[in-house]
Amino acid sequence: MTSSPARLTRSDVEHVAKLARLALSDAEITEFTEQLAVILEHAALVSALDTSDIPPTSHPLPLVNVLRADVVKPSVGRDELLTSAPDAESGRFRVPRILGEAP
Amino acid sequence: MSVITSASGTEWEIVSGLEVHCELATATKIFCSCANQFGEEPNTNVCPVCLGLPGSLPVLNEKAVEYALRVGEAFHFTVPAQSVFHRKNYFYPDMPKNFQTTQYDEPICEHGWLEVDGVRLGITRAHLEEDTGKSMHMGGAGGRIHGASHSLIDYNRAGVPLLEIVSEPDIRSSEQAAAYVDELRSTLKAIGVSDVKMEEGSLRVDANVSVRRIGDTGFGTRCEIKNLNSLKSLRDAMDHEAARQIEILEDGGEIRQETRLWNENEGHTASMRSKEEAYDYRYFPEPDLVPVQPTDELRAHVRATMPELPAARRTRLMAELSISEQDARTLLSTDGLADFAEAAVVLGAPPRDAALWTTQDVSAHLNVLGGGATVEGLDPGLLVETLQLVSDGLVSRNQGKEVFAAALAGEGRPAQIVADRGLAQVSDSGALGAVVDEVFAANSAAVQEWRDGDDKVRKKKRGFLMGEAMKALKGQGNPQLLNQLIDERLAD
């Protein structure tokens, strides 16, 4: 990559805020657009480097294949789990009305 | 190619690709040690990892990786050197973490294929992911989300390992789609990675459907159909959706790219959300899981433990047992049936008879017993002995069926049943000859009519004489011998 990405816009921030279900005021959108743009531009400095010989990094740790044997261990008791839930009913987690269909 | 002719006489075809979600039959979930068990009391197989509680860390189940590689082997996939997990972010309470851990641009399997009725259908990819919890919507009509006051969630299924198998848009008819899923399903079952029960949701299918005029080579706008719980709903939904799209296109309209839900009771699809409302999942690499690099050792182990696949076994059974493809499919459609027939052949039964008696009579026996009856425990020796009694002429074929049914039902060995029921057929040609003589004497008019008659009359009279002889023998005469004796007498 040689060209730097287009500068972050207000509408980008509005879109991401909507996806993250964040209600931001106009002032906050202005403030965060400015702050996020600076962060992204800083990260974009990397694109000035020649990385053609460097394999993509999927993970910062030099580890692969951290696996677990397929052996059942006891789960946490339901009563204990539901005690820490905001609300429960009939052995299930009770949640407020869902607005919209399943993804 | 499967042509759909519209009311206006235009010829169309379906273009479809399928997404099949297969729950893997591991003992535990994909990222934690909770039991992977269907039908338990709600929220009894749940832990902090399932719930994504702060501080909990997922660890990948090695069996899920092995099973994915088995699928890779079965469907000729390329297995990349490395695969990686991502977070798929969305807001819906079926995942308490607000994301689903899945694979995105580096799946565990790529570029496979499956042959269905001589046609090779491409499979784009297969990737590992976690299943979601189950919601119950309360206070509304018929458990629907619209109008509900609140919902109740059971997270037993959250974290159950899923393999999503995505086909190329190579499918051209609803029948081909059903045949693809059927072949996929029987193969997944044969390689032991899933119980593939569509009715319990361990195999779920979404269909992408578009249509185009015959001769066109481009792709039309597609709709994704969800909620297909059986092969029948898959076929019905695809045919209905194709008809809906053709009608819109012939009226000069345009197809809106959207997700549609199949309504089984009403027999139509209804819009669920449009492309504009489609989710932006903001995939990013899962920082809590490191990459998977299947080792040569594991891949060799998988290859060494692959069973014979249904397609190969079908071809072999057709050749070795001299049976049709349909009979081979029947043998393979019920667990243990083909094993039973093959075991009978090993014990000395004639191959074709062993196969056909198994498809007909063992299946009938299981049907009589009803749901849950299995081949397991049935002795193939009973079939071998029955077929021997038939080929020795001790009982007729029909009597053999009766004996075999009784033997399967536990009445004893076939020879004993023949004795107990007094079924042994008369194969003594002296005794049979005497009976034939009596019948000829008592029915001389019929014999004369045979001598004077044309082919039609002869056939009728011959049948009558055979019937009289069999009646005199109370049905226990050896039919081949009787036929032979009657022919000899008539030729005199």
Side-chain angles (χ1 to χ4, degrees), chain B residues 355-406:
Chain B
L356 299 183
W357 283 57
T358 301
T359 56
Q360 292 157 17
D361 301 279
V362 178
S363 300
H365 171 70
L366 297 178
N367 286 340
V368 168
L369 292 182
T374 61
V375 182
E376 202 179 338
L378 295 179
D379 176 8
L382 299 174
L383 178 55
V384 180
E385 291 166 30
T386 305
L387 290 171
Q388 190 63 50
L389 293 172
V390 174
S391 69
D392 288 348
L394 280 169
V395 291
S396 69
R397 238 182 136 74
N398 282 338
Q399 288 172 323
K401 299 264 174 179
E402 180 187 333
V403 170
F404 186 40

Short mmCIF file of all heavy atoms in Angstrom, two decimals, chain B residues 355-406:
data_model
loop_
_atom_site.label_atom_id
_atom_site.label_comp_id
_atom_site.label_asym_id
_atom_site.label_seq_id
_atom_site.Cartn_x
_atom_site.Cartn_y
_atom_site.Cartn_z
N ALA B 355 -29.67 -59.28 -0.58
CA ALA B 355 -29.94 -57.84 -0.63
C ALA B 355 -31.43 -57.57 -0.68
O ALA B 355 -31.96 -56.75 0.08
CB ALA B 355 -29.24 -57.23 -1.84
N LEU B 356 -32.13 -58.26 -1.57
CA LEU B 356 -33.55 -57.95 -1.77
C LEU B 356 -34.40 -58.38 -0.59
O LEU B 356 -35.33 -57.69 -0.20
CB LEU B 356 -34.05 -58.58 -3.08
CG LEU B 356 -33.32 -58.07 -4.33
CD1 LEU B 356 -33.91 -58.67 -5.59
CD2 LEU B 356 -33.36 -56.54 -4.41
N TRP B 357 -34.08 -59.54 -0.01
CA TRP B 357 -34.84 -59.96 1.18
C TRP B 357 -34.57 -58.99 2.33
O TRP B 357 -35.44 -58.73 3.15
CB TRP B 357 -34.46 -61.39 1.58
CG TRP B 357 -35.09 -62.44 0.70
CD1 TRP B 357 -34.96 -62.54 -0.65
CD2 TRP B 357 -35.96 -63.52 1.11
NE1 TRP B 357 -35.68 -63.62 -1.11
CE2 TRP B 357 -36.30 -64.24 -0.05
CE3 TRP B 357 -36.46 -63.94 2.35
CZ2 TRP B 357 -37.13 -65.36 -0.02
CZ3 TRP B 357 -37.28 -65.06 2.38
CH2 TRP B 357 -37.62 -65.76 1.21
N THR B 358 -33.36 -58.46 2.38
CA THR B 358 -33.05 -57.51 3.46
C THR B 358 -33.84 -56.22 3.26
O THR B 358 -34.47 -55.71 4.19
CB THR B 358 -31.54 -57.21 3.51
OG1 THR B 358 -30.84 -58.43 3.73
CG2 THR B 358 -31.22 -56.25 4.64
N THR B 359 -33.82 -55.68 2.02
CA THR B 359 -34.54 -54.41 1.79
C THR B 359 -36.04 -54.60 2.05
O THR B 359 -36.68 -53.72 2.61
CB THR B 359 -34.36 -53.87 0.36
OG1 THR B 359 -34.76 -54.88 -0.56
CG2 THR B 359 -32.94 -53.47 0.09
N GLN B 360 -36.57 -55.77 1.65
CA GLN B 360 -38.02 -55.95 1.79
C GLN B 360 -38.40 -56.45 3.19
O GLN B 360 -39.20 -55.84 3.88
CB GLN B 360 -38.54 -56.94 0.74
CG GLN B 360 -38.45 -56.39 -0.68
CD GLN B 360 -38.43 -57.48 -1.74
OE1 GLN B 360 -38.78 -58.63 -1.47
NE2 GLN B 360 -38.01 -57.12 -2.94
N ASP B 361 -37.82 -57.57 3.58
CA ASP B 361 -38.34 -58.26 4.76
C ASP B 361 -37.77 -57.74 6.08
O ASP B 361 -38.49 -57.66 7.06
CB ASP B 361 -38.11 -59.76 4.60
CG ASP B 361 -38.80 -60.28 3.34
OD1 ASP B 361 -40.01 -60.51 3.41
OD2 ASP B 361 -38.14 -60.39 2.31
N VAL B 362 -36.48 -57.37 6.07
CA VAL B 362 -35.95 -56.79 7.31
C VAL B 362 -36.59 -55.41 7.52
O VAL B 362 -36.98 -55.06 8.63
CB VAL B 362 -34.40 -56.71 7.29
CG1 VAL B 362 -33.89 -56.06 8.56
CG2 VAL B 362 -33.80 -58.09 7.11
N SER B 363 -36.74 -54.64 6.42
CA SER B 363 -37.40 -53.33 6.53
C SER B 363 -38.82 -53.50 7.05
O SER B 363 -39.27 -52.74 7.92
CB SER B 363 -37.45 -52.62 5.18
OG SER B 363 -36.15 -52.42 4.70
N ALA B 364 -39.54 -54.50 6.50
CA ALA B 364 -40.92 -54.74 6.94
C ALA B 364 -40.96 -55.07 8.43
O ALA B 364 -41.81 -54.59 9.17
CB ALA B 364 -41.54 -55.87 6.12
N HIS B 365 -40.00 -55.87 8.86
CA HIS B 365 -39.91 -56.26 10.28
C HIS B 365 -39.72 -55.01 11.16
O HIS B 365 -40.40 -54.85 12.18
CB HIS B 365 -38.75 -57.23 10.47
CG HIS B 365 -38.43 -57.53 11.90
ND1 HIS B 365 -39.26 -58.28 12.71
CD2 HIS B 365 -37.38 -57.16 12.69
CE1 HIS B 365 -38.73 -58.36 13.93
NE2 HIS B 365 -37.59 -57.69 13.93
N LEU B 366 -38.83 -54.10 10.71
CA LEU B 366 -38.59 -52.89 11.49
C LEU B 366 -39.84 -52.01 11.51
O LEU B 366 -40.17 -51.39 12.52
CB LEU B 366 -37.40 -52.11 10.92
CG LEU B 366 -36.04 -52.81 10.96
CD1 LEU B 366 -34.97 -51.94 10.33
CD2 LEU B 366 -35.64 -53.19 12.38
N ASN B 367 -40.53 -51.96 10.36
CA ASN B 367 -41.76 -51.15 10.29
C ASN B 367 -42.82 -51.66 11.25
O ASN B 367 -43.53 -50.88 11.88
CB ASN B 367 -42.33 -51.14 8.87
CG ASN B 367 -41.51 -50.26 7.95
OD1 ASN B 367 -40.77 -49.39 8.42
ND2 ASN B 367 -41.62 -50.48 6.66
N VAL B 368 -42.93 -52.99 11.34
CA VAL B 368 -43.91 -53.58 12.25
C VAL B 368 -43.60 -53.18 13.68
O VAL B 368 -44.49 -52.83 14.46
CB VAL B 368 -43.92 -55.12 12.11
CG1 VAL B 368 -44.71 -55.77 13.25
CG2 VAL B 368 -44.51 -55.53 10.77
N LEU B 369 -42.29 -53.20 14.01
CA LEU B 369 -41.91 -52.84 15.38
C LEU B 369 -42.11 -51.35 15.65
O LEU B 369 -42.27 -50.93 16.79
CB LEU B 369 -40.44 -53.21 15.63
CG LEU B 369 -40.14 -54.70 15.65
CD1 LEU B 369 -38.67 -54.91 15.95
CD2 LEU B 369 -41.00 -55.43 16.68
N GLY B 370 -42.06 -50.54 14.58
CA GLY B 370 -42.29 -49.11 14.74
C GLY B 370 -41.06 -48.33 15.12
O GLY B 370 -39.94 -48.87 15.14
N GLY B 371 -41.26 -47.05 15.42
CA GLY B 371 -40.16 -46.10 15.65
C GLY B 371 -39.14 -46.60 16.65
O GLY B 371 -39.49 -47.22 17.65
N GLY B 372 -37.88 -46.37 16.35
CA GLY B 372 -36.83 -46.74 17.28
C GLY B 372 -36.30 -48.15 17.07
O GLY B 372 -35.26 -48.50 17.62
N ALA B 373 -36.99 -48.97 16.26
CA ALA B 373 -36.50 -50.32 16.01
C ALA B 373 -35.23 -50.25 15.18
O ALA B 373 -35.14 -49.46 14.25
CB ALA B 373 -37.56 -51.14 15.28
N THR B 374 -34.24 -51.07 15.54
CA THR B 374 -32.98 -51.05 14.79
C THR B 374 -32.60 -52.44 14.33
O THR B 374 -33.11 -53.44 14.84
CB THR B 374 -31.83 -50.51 15.66
OG1 THR B 374 -31.67 -51.39 16.78
CG2 THR B 374 -32.12 -49.11 16.16
N VAL B 375 -31.69 -52.47 13.36
CA VAL B 375 -31.21 -53.74 12.82
C VAL B 375 -30.32 -54.44 13.84
O VAL B 375 -30.18 -55.67 13.82
CB VAL B 375 -30.43 -53.48 11.50
CG1 VAL B 375 -29.96 -54.79 10.89
CG2 VAL B 375 -31.30 -52.71 10.52
N GLU B 376 -29.73 -53.62 14.69
CA GLU B 376 -28.78 -54.14 15.68
C GLU B 376 -29.37 -55.35 16.42
O GLU B 376 -30.50 -55.31 16.89
CB GLU B 376 -28.47 -53.03 16.68
CG GLU B 376 -27.17 -53.23 17.42
CD GLU B 376 -26.89 -52.09 18.39
OE1 GLU B 376 -27.46 -51.00 18.20
OE2 GLU B 376 -26.16 -52.33 19.34
N GLY B 377 -28.61 -56.43 16.51
CA GLY B 377 -29.07 -57.60 17.25
C GLY B 377 -29.77 -58.63 16.38
O GLY B 377 -29.98 -59.75 16.82
N LEU B 378 -30.17 -58.24 15.16
CA LEU B 378 -30.81 -59.22 14.28
C LEU B 378 -29.73 -60.11 13.67
O LEU B 378 -28.67 -59.64 13.26
CB LEU B 378 -31.60 -58.52 13.17
CG LEU B 378 -32.80 -57.68 13.62
CD1 LEU B 378 -33.47 -57.03 12.42
CD2 LEU B 378 -33.81 -58.55 14.38
N ASP B 379 -30.00 -61.40 13.60
CA ASP B 379 -29.00 -62.38 13.18
C ASP B 379 -29.09 -62.65 11.67
O ASP B 379 -30.08 -63.20 11.20
CB ASP B 379 -29.25 -63.68 13.97
CG ASP B 379 -28.33 -64.81 13.54
OD1 ASP B 379 -27.39 -64.56 12.76
OD2 ASP B 379 -28.56 -65.94 14.01
N PRO B 380 -28.05 -62.26 10.92
CA PRO B 380 -28.08 -62.50 9.47
C PRO B 380 -28.14 -64.00 9.14
O PRO B 380 -28.58 -64.38 8.05
CB PRO B 380 -26.76 -61.90 8.96
CG PRO B 380 -26.14 -61.19 10.11
CD PRO B 380 -26.80 -61.64 11.36
N GLY B 381 -27.75 -64.84 10.10
CA GLY B 381 -27.82 -66.28 9.90
C GLY B 381 -29.25 -66.74 9.61
O GLY B 381 -29.47 -67.71 8.88
N LEU B 382 -30.24 -66.02 10.17
CA LEU B 382 -31.65 -66.38 9.94
C LEU B 382 -32.00 -66.27 8.45
O LEU B 382 -32.74 -67.08 7.92
CB LEU B 382 -32.57 -65.48 10.76
CG LEU B 382 -32.40 -65.55 12.29
CD1 LEU B 382 -33.27 -64.50 12.97
CD2 LEU B 382 -32.75 -66.95 12.79
N LEU B 383 -31.43 -65.24 7.81
CA LEU B 383 -31.70 -65.07 6.38
C LEU B 383 -30.98 -66.16 5.57
O LEU B 383 -31.55 -66.73 4.65
CB LEU B 383 -31.25 -63.67 5.93
CG LEU B 383 -31.42 -63.36 4.44
CD1 LEU B 383 -32.87 -63.59 3.99
CD2 LEU B 383 -31.00 -61.93 4.14
N VAL B 384 -29.75 -66.44 5.96
CA VAL B 384 -28.98 -67.47 5.26
C VAL B 384 -29.74 -68.80 5.32
O VAL B 384 -29.92 -69.48 4.31
CB VAL B 384 -27.58 -67.63 5.91
CG1 VAL B 384 -26.78 -68.70 5.18
CG2 VAL B 384 -26.85 -66.29 5.89
N GLU B 385 -30.21 -69.16 6.52
CA GLU B 385 -30.91 -70.44 6.69
C GLU B 385 -32.23 -70.47 5.93
O GLU B 385 -32.60 -71.47 5.32
CB GLU B 385 -31.15 -70.69 8.19
CG GLU B 385 -29.85 -70.97 8.94
CD GLU B 385 -30.00 -70.89 10.46
OE1 GLU B 385 -31.11 -71.18 10.97
OE2 GLU B 385 -29.03 -70.52 11.14
N THR B 386 -32.96 -69.35 5.96
CA THR B 386 -34.23 -69.29 5.24
C THR B 386 -34.00 -69.48 3.74
O THR B 386 -34.70 -70.26 3.08
CB THR B 386 -34.93 -67.95 5.48
OG1 THR B 386 -35.08 -67.74 6.88
CG2 THR B 386 -36.31 -67.92 4.82
N LEU B 387 -33.02 -68.75 3.20
CA LEU B 387 -32.76 -68.84 1.76
C LEU B 387 -32.32 -70.25 1.38
O LEU B 387 -32.63 -70.74 0.29
CB LEU B 387 -31.70 -67.81 1.33
CG LEU B 387 -32.19 -66.35 1.37
CD1 LEU B 387 -31.03 -65.38 1.16
CD2 LEU B 387 -33.27 -66.13 0.31
N GLN B 388 -31.63 -70.92 2.30
CA GLN B 388 -31.22 -72.30 2.05
C GLN B 388 -32.45 -73.21 1.96
O GLN B 388 -32.54 -74.06 1.07
CB GLN B 388 -30.28 -72.77 3.18
CG GLN B 388 -29.59 -74.10 2.91
CD GLN B 388 -28.67 -74.02 1.69
OE1 GLN B 388 -27.85 -73.11 1.60
NE2 GLN B 388 -28.82 -74.94 0.76
N LEU B 389 -33.41 -73.02 2.87
CA LEU B 389 -34.64 -73.82 2.84
C LEU B 389 -35.39 -73.62 1.53
O LEU B 389 -35.95 -74.56 0.96
CB LEU B 389 -35.55 -73.43 4.02
CG LEU B 389 -35.02 -73.78 5.43
CD1 LEU B 389 -35.92 -73.15 6.49
CD2 LEU B 389 -34.95 -75.28 5.61
N VAL B 390 -35.39 -72.35 1.04
CA VAL B 390 -36.07 -72.05 -0.22
C VAL B 390 -35.33 -72.72 -1.38
O VAL B 390 -35.95 -73.37 -2.23
CB VAL B 390 -36.17 -70.53 -0.45
CG1 VAL B 390 -36.74 -70.23 -1.84
CG2 VAL B 390 -37.04 -69.88 0.63
N SER B 391 -34.00 -72.58 -1.40
CA SER B 391 -33.27 -73.14 -2.55
C SER B 391 -33.26 -74.67 -2.52
O SER B 391 -33.16 -75.31 -3.56
CB SER B 391 -31.86 -72.55 -2.65
OG SER B 391 -31.08 -73.04 -1.58
N ASP B 392 -33.41 -75.24 -1.32
CA ASP B 392 -33.52 -76.70 -1.25
C ASP B 392 -34.92 -77.19 -1.62
O ASP B 392 -35.16 -78.39 -1.67
CB ASP B 392 -33.22 -77.19 0.18
CG ASP B 392 -31.74 -77.08 0.51
OD1 ASP B 392 -30.95 -76.84 -0.43
OD2 ASP B 392 -31.38 -77.19 1.69
N GLY B 393 -35.85 -76.25 -1.83
CA GLY B 393 -37.20 -76.63 -2.22
C GLY B 393 -38.04 -77.11 -1.05
O GLY B 393 -39.13 -77.64 -1.24
N LEU B 394 -37.56 -76.91 0.17
CA LEU B 394 -38.35 -77.35 1.33
C LEU B 394 -39.55 -76.45 1.57
O LEU B 394 -40.58 -76.89 2.06
CB LEU B 394 -37.47 -77.38 2.58
CG LEU B 394 -36.58 -78.62 2.70
CD1 LEU B 394 -35.57 -78.45 3.81
CD2 LEU B 394 -37.45 -79.86 2.94
N VAL B 395 -39.38 -75.17 1.28
CA VAL B 395 -40.52 -74.24 1.34
C VAL B 395 -40.51 -73.40 0.08
O VAL B 395 -39.48 -73.23 -0.57
CB VAL B 395 -40.45 -73.29 2.57
CG1 VAL B 395 -40.66 -74.05 3.86
CG2 VAL B 395 -39.15 -72.52 2.59
N SER B 396 -41.69 -72.87 -0.28
CA SER B 396 -41.78 -71.98 -1.43
C SER B 396 -41.21 -70.62 -1.03
O SER B 396 -40.96 -70.36 0.15
CB SER B 396 -43.23 -71.83 -1.86
OG SER B 396 -43.93 -71.09 -0.87
N ARG B 397 -41.04 -69.78 -2.03
CA ARG B 397 -40.55 -68.42 -1.73
C ARG B 397 -41.48 -67.69 -0.78
O ARG B 397 -41.04 -67.04 0.17
CB ARG B 397 -40.47 -67.63 -3.05
CG ARG B 397 -39.10 -67.10 -3.37
CD ARG B 397 -39.13 -66.31 -4.66
NE ARG B 397 -38.36 -65.09 -4.47
CZ ARG B 397 -37.03 -65.05 -4.41
NH1 ARG B 397 -36.34 -66.14 -4.51
NH2 ARG B 397 -36.40 -63.91 -4.25
N ASN B 398 -42.79 -67.81 -1.05
CA ASN B 398 -43.75 -67.12 -0.18
C ASN B 398 -43.74 -67.66 1.24
O ASN B 398 -43.82 -66.90 2.20
CB ASN B 398 -45.17 -67.24 -0.76
CG ASN B 398 -45.36 -66.27 -1.90
OD1 ASN B 398 -44.64 -65.26 -1.98
ND2 ASN B 398 -46.32 -66.56 -2.76
N GLN B 399 -43.60 -68.98 1.33
CA GLN B 399 -43.51 -69.56 2.68
C GLN B 399 -42.22 -69.12 3.36
O GLN B 399 -42.19 -68.88 4.55
CB GLN B 399 -43.55 -71.09 2.59
CG GLN B 399 -44.93 -71.63 2.22
CD GLN B 399 -44.88 -73.13 1.94
OE1 GLN B 399 -43.91 -73.63 1.37
NE2 GLN B 399 -45.92 -73.83 2.35
N GLY B 400 -41.18 -68.99 2.54
CA GLY B 400 -39.90 -68.53 3.07
C GLY B 400 -40.04 -67.15 3.71
O GLY B 400 -39.48 -66.88 4.77
N LYS B 401 -40.83 -66.29 3.06
CA LYS B 401 -41.05 -64.94 3.60
C LYS B 401 -41.72 -65.03 4.99
O LYS B 401 -41.37 -64.30 5.90
CB LYS B 401 -41.94 -64.13 2.65
CG LYS B 401 -41.34 -63.93 1.27
CD LYS B 401 -40.62 -62.61 1.17
CE LYS B 401 -39.91 -62.47 -0.16
NZ LYS B 401 -39.21 -61.20 -0.30
N GLU B 402 -42.69 -65.93 5.07
CA GLU B 402 -43.40 -66.11 6.33
C GLU B 402 -42.44 -66.64 7.41
O GLU B 402 -42.44 -66.15 8.54
CB GLU B 402 -44.55 -67.12 6.10
CG GLU B 402 -45.38 -67.41 7.33
CD GLU B 402 -46.39 -68.54 7.08
OE1 GLU B 402 -46.80 -68.73 5.91
OE2 GLU B 402 -46.76 -69.21 8.06
N VAL B 403 -41.61 -67.60 7.01
CA VAL B 403 -40.65 -68.19 7.95
C VAL B 403 -39.66 -67.14 8.43
O VAL B 403 -39.36 -67.02 9.62
CB VAL B 403 -39.90 -69.37 7.28
CG1 VAL B 403 -38.73 -69.82 8.15
CG2 VAL B 403 -40.87 -70.51 7.00
N PHE B 404 -39.15 -66.33 7.49
CA PHE B 404 -38.14 -65.33 7.82
C PHE B 404 -38.73 -64.28 8.77
O PHE B 404 -38.10 -63.90 9.78
CB PHE B 404 -37.62 -64.68 6.54
CG PHE B 404 -36.47 -63.74 6.75
CD1 PHE B 404 -35.45 -64.03 7.65
CD2 PHE B 404 -36.38 -62.56 6.04
CE1 PHE B 404 -34.37 -63.16 7.85
CE2 PHE B 404 -35.32 -61.68 6.22
CZ PHE B 404 -34.32 -61.98 7.13
N ALA B 405 -39.99 -63.86 8.48
CA ALA B 405 -40.64 -62.88 9.35
C ALA B 405 -40.77 -63.43 10.77
O ALA B 405 -40.49 -62.73 11.76
CB ALA B 405 -42.01 -62.50 8.81
N ALA B 406 -41.17 -64.71 10.86
CA ALA B 406 -41.33 -65.33 12.17
C ALA B 406 -39.99 -65.46 12.88
O ALA B 406 -39.88 -65.23 14.10
CB ALA B 406 -41.98 -66.71 12.01
#
